[in-house]
Amino acid sequence: MNLLDQLNPQQREAVETTDGPLLILAGAGSGKTRVITYRIAYLIDYCGVPPGNILAVTFTNKAAEEMRNRVDALVHTSLLGRPWLSTFHSFCVRLLREDGSKIGLRRDFSIYDEDDQLSVVKACVRRLSLSERELPSRGVLSRISHAKNHSQSPEDFYQTATDPMGEKVALAYQMYNKVLRESNAVDFDDLLLEAVRLLSEDAETALKYNQRYRYLLVDEYQDTNRSQYQLIRLLTQTQQNVCVVGDEDQSIYSWRGADIRNILEFEKDYPQARIIRLEENYRSTQTILDAAAAVVSHNLYRKGKKLWTSRRGDEKVYFYEGMDGENESLFVADWIVKRRKQHPDEKIAILYRTNSQSRLYEESLRRYGLKYSLVGGFSFYERTEVKDLLAYLKAAANPQDSVNLLRIVNSPPRGIGEGTVKKLEELARAHNLSFWDALEQLLEDRLAAKLDDKLLSARAASALENFYSLMKELQALVADAKVPELLNAILERTEYSARLEEEASPESLARLENIEELLNAATDSMERGEGLTEFLDHAALVSDVDAYDEKTSITLMTLHSAKGLEFPVVFLAGLEEGLLPHNRSLLNEHSLEEERRLCYVGMTRAQDLLILTRARSRRHYGDRMPVLSRPSRFWSEIPEELLQDISPRIGRPATAAPAAIPGERFYEYEPSESPSDHNAMPLGARVRHPRFGYGTVLQREGVGDDVKLTVSFPGVGLKKLIEKYAGLERL
DNA sequence: GATTTACGCCTTTTT
DNA sequence: GGCGTAAATC
């Protein structure tokens, strides 16, 4: 069978245009993955390109894996090697492990995840003698990450920061980078930044990779950020066989530095570029497509395109308005139960804006006895026991990795208390040593009796010695032991599992299972011929969507995670102002448009049926009273003739159980008028705050003592204040 | 010094 | 509603 016969004319053109820069504008469901994989197959089979000369980058391991499988099914030339398919991040890891030494990076560097990053920031804040209140670590970390996503150095950051915090954050940022370097560690963002640095500073390495990867393919180009863009530029210096695929309407990662200009200005960057549009959709019904198109057409900042399909839509887009969040989620569960009777194996997705929304759906689905799988939330590699064991491995592989060493120094408890740790940290700082080196130094000095006994009790000292010799032992094993052996050694020497077995609580048994699973993962990795470094890299670079199992029939996930996936039935939940679009994005039109794209992404996941739901009132985390909600503006952007209401009518008595939806529980509608408080600050009020000065009230939420105000203070910014405590003065 | 309690903040999205 | 840090208590 001819490869090209399975493509439409535009897809075919995209596959056959092998040389020179090519931009493929691929609408949702237009067969983008098919084009990329066929193109790879075509390059190998028809053009005789050695597979090793092809590099394709994606954003998730899942996408890379899927492409790998599909390419493998198309080409049978694995003897010639395989094309390199990976995520941006794993590609960078490989680059840096191979050639990072040229920019002063050691081969055995650790990769810090968000937890590790936060520990470093906390240490930095403490070292700056600031309290968590004065400089919250979370905020600092998010600003550091934001800076890195925009390729801003601490110095750049310092110069552009305008707020009073900026200076301190810049200092923390600088210190943070220093700590990372001293720990022989890089964070997620560094992987990209350092790869860019390597390719721009070392011409020889740049040439090597330019020659190796003569054909470059980039998926989800609209999501690339500054450093990913630079990376692509640096890899296409000697040749320009670069094919990027993207859709500006699905750009939903600008908060992570994704720059839509990369796609809009592709022709400027590569003047020879050809552009091909894929506008035939093979996924959804025309109705779903029309509804989604109607929403996204309200965006001003887009090139614009028209998707079409030959699939006729017989079913309208349904919508359901529940009394509250619980009712909304019960409706979904109930609907699924009924649907199951006709379509037992149909895949159904429940999509929402924020992870916190998943809780209601989990409860409802469980109540109805439905099995589901949840993407996001706590992933396997984030569990405490798994993180602990990984920390042992990381610390053994890279003793300079102070974060992970500190994580395990007293876990499981071995008598190295906070005080002892603090002393060691002080010693390390005083002599500019890493935690490990300080430990070594301390024990040596003690042996040489250079130390007065007051500094360290005999008990603490022997505990430290034990820990030291344990780590020494593990370090020695790193060189030639396999990962499962290493893990077993750790478990044995620390009595980690023995303790859990002894405890025998449900939680500890679950932990033991996780440990078992980690051992299995290590064995699998070993059988693939991987070493410790590869195993740890893998653990660091897996994402939530990677865990998405296509076989499970009900999937709960965020709209962000859902990108690139498709389902026969999609619920788009919580379509309310404040949720979608999210409150935080209402302040400027660019972020509002991104919310609209997010809505568009969600709608276009649906193949056959799309059901929009919302709650008329919703309880926000701690609030005593549910707050009345307004339907999302995106909702009203859908032409009415495409919609069909399947909600119960307001005020219908609970006793008149509607036959249409058996088992459904209806709630009496309680008009919860917020009692107006006469002392309250109304919207638009001019106020004075003891610290922030003069401002204007922009938003009121909650009632009574819980009233929260959003106040804009010129020169300070937006502040959320509890009215009762803010000490505001009305002017 | 360690465990308990209180308070405060939070939730946007994640490779 | 839940987590983490800071304060309070033994």
Side-chain angles (χ1 to χ4, degrees), chain A residues 544-586:
Chain A
D544 290 334
V545 248
D546 296 334
Y548 163 60
D549 180 1
E550 290 178 46
K551 285 182 279 289
T552 60
S553 55
I554 304 173
T555 308
L556 275 62
M557 65 175 111
T558 64
L559 289 164
H560 282 87
S561 300
K563 199 178 61 163
L565 304 174
E566 59 183 20
F567 307 88
V569 178
V570 168
F571 284 93
L572 194 47
L575 269 176
E576 295 145 37
E577 283 293 299
L579 259 183
L580 184 70
H582 196 274
N583 258 330
R584 301 248 169 150
S585 56
L586 298 178

Side-chain angles (χ1 to χ4, degrees), chain A residues 424-584:
Chain A
L424 263 171
E425 278 185 302
E426 270 161 29
L427 187 74
R429 242 183 79 198
H431 299 278
N432 205 17
L433 295 169
S434 69
F435 189 79
W436 174 255
D437 292 340
L439 172 62
E440 206 157 47
Q441 186 76 54
L442 183 75
L443 294 176
E444 270 174 28
D445 286 357
R446 211 184 125 77
L447 264 181
K450 278 193 252 170
L451 222 61
D452 69 280
D453 289 341
K454 272 176 234 143
L455 193 63
L456 212 58
S457 70
R459 225 171 63 180
S462 89
L464 282 177
E465 257 157 24
N466 274 336
F467 178 65
Y468 180 78
S469 66
L470 163 66
M471 291 314 293
K472 267 289 190 207
E473 224 171 277
L474 294 175
Q475 285 169 26
L477 280 174
V478 165
D480 38 33
K482 305 279 183 220
V483 183
E485 293 169 29
L486 259 168
L487 280 171
N488 279 319
I490 294 165
L491 291 169
E492 216 165 285
R493 286 284 269 112
T494 59
E495 295 168 345
Y496 203 106
S497 17
R499 280 164 205 265
L500 290 172
E501 271 160 26
E502 208 171 302
E503 193 187 320
S505 66
E507 295 86 45
S508 69
L509 292 177
R511 284 176 184 209
L512 281 167
E513 271 171 36
N514 287 330
I515 291 172
E516 195 58 42
E517 211 175 319
L518 185 68
L519 276 165
N520 290 338
T523 309
D524 289 346
S525 160
M526 177 183 74
E527 279 164 4
R528 283 195 300 269
E530 297 175 357
L532 176 59
T533 312
E534 283 100 337
F535 179 69
L536 289 174
D537 285 350
H538 175 77
L541 297 173
V542 285
S543 70
D544 290 334
V545 248
D546 296 334
Y548 163 60
D549 180 1
E550 290 178 46
K551 285 182 279 289
T552 60
S553 55
I554 304 173
T555 308
L556 275 62
M557 65 175 111
T558 64
L559 289 164
H560 282 87
S561 300
K563 199 178 61 163
L565 304 174
E566 59 183 20
F567 307 88
V569 178
V570 168
F571 284 93
L572 194 47
L575 269 176
E576 295 145 37
E577 283 293 299
L579 259 183
L580 184 70
H582 196 274
N583 258 330
R584 301 248 169 150

Side-chain angles (χ1 to χ4, degrees), chain A residues 36-156:
Chain A
I36 296 179
T37 50
Y38 276 57
R39 192 181 153 89
I40 294 172
Y42 183 81
L43 282 168
I44 297 169
D45 273 356
Y46 286 64
C47 309
V49 175
N53 284 348
I54 301 171
L55 168 67
V57 277
T58 62
F59 275 82
T60 64
N61 294 298
K62 184 92 202 152
E65 187 195 310
E66 193 190 335
M67 282 185 194
R68 203 171 300 130
N69 291 338
R70 283 165 74 164
V71 169
D72 280 350
L74 290 171
V75 226
H76 312 284
T77 50
S78 53
L79 288 175
L80 301 173
R82 288 164 107 201
W84 183 246
L85 288 151
S86 82
T87 64
F88 270 103
H89 289 84
S90 354
F91 173 72
C92 291
V93 169
R94 187 173 132 138
L95 209 71
L96 293 171
R97 294 240 185 259
E98 205 169 310
D99 291 295
S101 57
K102 285 165 187 145
I103 52 166
L105 217 60
R106 290 177 42 176
R107 202 173 285 258
D108 57 355
F109 61 81
S110 300
I111 301 170
Y112 276 7
D113 65 16
E114 207 181 319
D115 254 26
D116 302 329
Q117 289 181 283
L118 197 60
S119 310
V120 174
V121 173
K122 278 183 178 157
C124 292
V125 170
R126 248 179 286 132
R127 256 202 249 174
L128 287 167
S129 325
L130 292 165
S131 75
E132 198 67 23
R133 253 193 79 68
E134 291 166 293
L135 198 68
S137 311
R138 286 210 159 276
V140 174
L141 177 57
S142 81
R143 290 184 69 175
I144 291 176
S145 188
H146 183 267
K148 289 195 172 191
N149 274 317
H150 291 81
S151 300
Q152 269 191 327
S153 66
E155 294 73 30
D156 297 335

Side-chain angles (χ1 to χ4, degrees), chain A residues 146-185:
Chain A
H146 183 267
K148 289 195 172 191
N149 274 317
H150 291 81
S151 300
Q152 269 191 327
S153 66
E155 294 73 30
D156 297 335
F157 182 91
Y158 181 79
Q159 271 158 18
T160 51
T162 49
D163 61 309
M165 275 301 195
E167 203 173 314
K168 290 176 194 162
V169 177
L171 270 174
Y173 181 10
Q174 194 171 37
M175 195 182 277
Y176 168 89
N177 270 351
K178 197 168 153 258
V179 171
L180 248 62
R181 224 165 302 127
E182 286 167 357
S183 307
N184 185 26

